[in-house]
Amino acid sequence: TDRNPLKEALVRTEPKVTTKPTAKVVFDDKIELVGWTMPAKVDRGDSFRMTLVFKVLAPVSGEWKVLGHIDRGARRFNGDHKPIDGRCATTFWQTGDYIVDTFTVDAGDSTFPTGAYDVRIGFFQGGNGTFKNMRVSAAPAGMRTEDDRVRIGAIDVR
């Protein structure tokens, strides 16, 4: 049996996703967001899984992390992480590959308010106040944010 941990994370054919963008979403003309899967509702204090599927359009220079912000006002569940559990940095992604990035987010605790939380994703480098987000080169107007993130929906936190 194939025990390669990247077998399902790096694939050559487009995998199925729950939701697709209404128009092309592309980061720096190199990475296209193909779709995503995330829960519609979560309970405070629980953990939940999200999956983002990207298609590599061109080689990616530099090592980028995936940005995952689940926000309601000033409150945030942070889903920032190294793609594919840190097993394959963006510098090694190959043109034509599909990247299936599944990760876990903790849905805060009882101090977080209930209600709808916006989900924004992207890529970033740096840390501790020196963040640089990868440029969003294409996205529908309703999805693109002014700080190079893409809004992909909302999660109802109960």
Side-chain angles (χ1 to χ4, degrees), residues 11 76 87 150:
V11 296
R76 171 175 290 167
R87 292 185 173 123
V150 175

Side-chain angles (χ1 to χ4, degrees), residues 96-151:
D97 280 349
Y98 289 89
I99 308 301
V100 181
D101 181 41
T102 300
F103 57 100
T104 301
V105 179
D106 293 325
D109 57 29
S110 62
T111 66
F112 280 76
T114 59
Y117 281 68
D118 283 330
V119 180
R120 295 178 180 93
I121 61 109
F123 291 90
F124 75 98
Q125 292 177 326
N128 295 331
T130 62
F131 296 105
K132 173 187 173 190
N133 290 350
M134 184 183 283
R135 177 179 66 91
V136 176
S137 50
M143 292 180 72
R144 181 192 307 246
T145 69
E146 67 283 348
D147 54 357
D148 285 316
R149 297 180 300 167
V150 175
R151 184 180 184 280

Side-chain angles (χ1 to χ4, degrees), residues 6-154:
L6 298 177
K7 178 182 173 189
E8 294 179 12
L10 297 167
V11 296
R12 296 299 287 174
T13 57
E14 185 174 331
K16 292 184 180 191
V17 291
T18 304
T19 309
K20 290 180 164 258
T22 57
K24 277 199 176 223
V25 173
V26 180
F27 297 91
D28 198 28
D29 298 318
K30 297 177 179 160
I31 303 170
E32 180 181 352
L33 174 64
V34 173
W36 58 90
T37 301
M38 64 183 188
K41 298 177 183 181
V42 298
D43 291 324
R44 292 183 296 180
D46 283 352
S47 295
F48 61 93
R49 311 258 305 148
M50 289 182 61
T51 299
L52 304 173
V53 177
F54 302 102
K55 182 175 183 182
V56 182
L57 304 176
V60 179
S61 58
E63 190 170 326
W64 295 85
K65 292 180 183 175
V66 175
L67 174 156
H69 295 165
I70 298 92
D71 297 334
R72 179 179 172 94
R75 301 307 300 262
R76 171 175 290 167
F77 307 143
N78 197 331
D80 294 354
H81 63 282
K82 290 182 178 181
I84 316 172
D85 291 328
R87 292 185 173 123
C88 185
T90 55
T91 54
F92 298 111
W93 292 4
Q94 299 293 309
T95 302
D97 280 349
Y98 289 89
I99 308 301
V100 181
D101 181 41
T102 300
F103 57 100
T104 301
V105 179
D106 293 325
D109 57 29
S110 62
T111 66
F112 280 76
T114 59
Y117 281 68
D118 283 330
V119 180
R120 295 178 180 93
I121 61 109
F123 291 90
F124 75 98
Q125 292 177 326
N128 295 331
T130 62
F131 296 105
K132 173 187 173 190
N133 290 350
M134 184 183 283
R135 177 179 66 91
V136 176
S137 50
M143 292 180 72
R144 181 192 307 246
T145 69
E146 67 283 348
D147 54 357
D148 285 316
R149 297 180 300 167
V150 175
R151 184 180 184 280
I152 62 169

